[in-house]
Amino acid sequence: MKRVRLTEGDLIRLIKKVISEQNVATPTENKESKKKQPPKPRCIPENMIPLDEIVGQADEYVKYSPGVTKRRMGVNSMVDTLGILNNIRLFKDVKDGGSHLAYDMMNNLNRFRNKNYYDETTGECHKAMDKLTELYKENEHGTELVKDIERILNLQTKDDEYTPSPRAKEYLKQCVNLVKGQ
């Protein structure tokens, strides 16, 4: 058996040759494929959010006002918040028209912006906001996050006293922008 010994210089020249051949062979395809594909999320510890934070604790309730409790963070909190805002006329203890609830939801959503989630089953990184909307759909009380928020924005009753306040609606509009990625 004949042995071939490569020096470090030979190895570097071979690598450069292969790379240059790949770039010369398909220069337009490489440029077009890079333009078509959105940038792939990178999994680095600074921008990662674990699944537990996205979902939130199911049994960790916070007293919002007398007679009104909701879960603290994550998808579970959003389900509770949107449920309260959708039925605000039933909660007489909510005096601010739901603006504090909408503000908390906006801040909760803002935590997931520009963050990624590592999917252990596929071994890939995904945007945390995409996982959040997926988990919201899977929740028994949630349908689609954007549609549920827009339904509350369009909520009208005879009594303006029991609809979300204008400030709450502004916060909810910002929530829609955060979910859509604008």
Side-chain angles (χ1 to χ4, degrees):
M1 196 181 260
K2 186 177 177 182
R3 285 189 171 184
V4 178
R5 290 189 177 226
L6 292 175
T7 64
E8 189 175 343
D10 293 336
L11 190 59
I12 291 173
R13 270 183 286 194
L14 277 170
I15 292 172
K16 286 182 180 179
K17 183 179 175 184
V18 169
I19 290 173
S20 66
E21 286 175 359
Q22 287 176 351
N23 287 340
V24 171
T26 57
T28 56
E29 289 179 16
N30 284 344
K31 290 178 183 176
E32 289 176 8
S33 65
K34 287 180 183 176
K35 288 180 183 177
K36 290 180 183 177
Q37 295 176 352
K40 186 176 178 181
R42 299 188 64 192
C43 286
I44 54 176
E46 290 80 29
N47 73 350
M48 295 287 295
I49 290 189
L51 183 62
D52 293 340
E53 281 188 44
I54 295 173
V55 174
Q57 296 295 322
D59 57 351
E60 188 177 339
Y61 285 89
V62 175
K63 187 173 185 177
Y64 175 69
S65 66
V68 180
T69 57
K70 69 180 201 82
R71 288 174 277 196
R72 177 169 264 161
M73 299 172 71
V75 174
N76 293 324
S77 172
M78 290 180 208
V79 168
D80 292 347
T81 300
L82 290 174
I84 293 168
L85 288 171
N86 194 31
N87 299 307
I88 201 163
R89 67 186 182 284
L90 302 176
F91 299 101
K92 308 290 186 208
D93 296 330
V94 179
K95 303 289 184 197
D96 62 352
S99 61
H100 187 261
L101 282 168
Y103 180 77
D104 282 346
M105 184 171 161
M106 182 184 70
N107 283 333
N108 195 3
L109 279 170
N110 201 26
R111 288 183 45 243
F112 301 109
R113 188 178 59 148
N114 300 328
K115 298 287 185 179
N116 294 323
Y117 157 73
Y118 179 74
D119 189 1
E120 294 173 358
T121 57
T122 62
E124 295 180 0
C125 251
H126 302 285
K127 291 184 176 181
M129 196 64 77
D130 294 342
K131 186 66 176 176
L132 182 102
T133 55
E134 177 188 331
L135 290 171
Y136 185 85
K137 279 183 190 177
E138 291 175 3
N139 191 294
E140 63 182 298
H141 299 292
T143 54
E144 247 185 83
L145 187 57
V146 173
K147 286 183 180 179
D148 285 352
I149 294 171
E150 288 174 344
R151 184 181 325 124
I152 293 168
L153 284 171
N154 298 327
L155 191 66
Q156 293 291 326
T157 61
K158 294 176 185 173
D159 268 347
D160 268 354
E161 182 180 348
Y162 299 117
T163 59
S165 69
R167 179 174 282 178
K169 289 185 178 185
E170 287 300 316
Y171 290 141
L172 290 172
K173 287 177 190 174
Q174 185 61 28
C175 289
V176 170
N177 290 338
L178 286 170
V179 173
K180 289 182 176 178
Q182 297 175 349

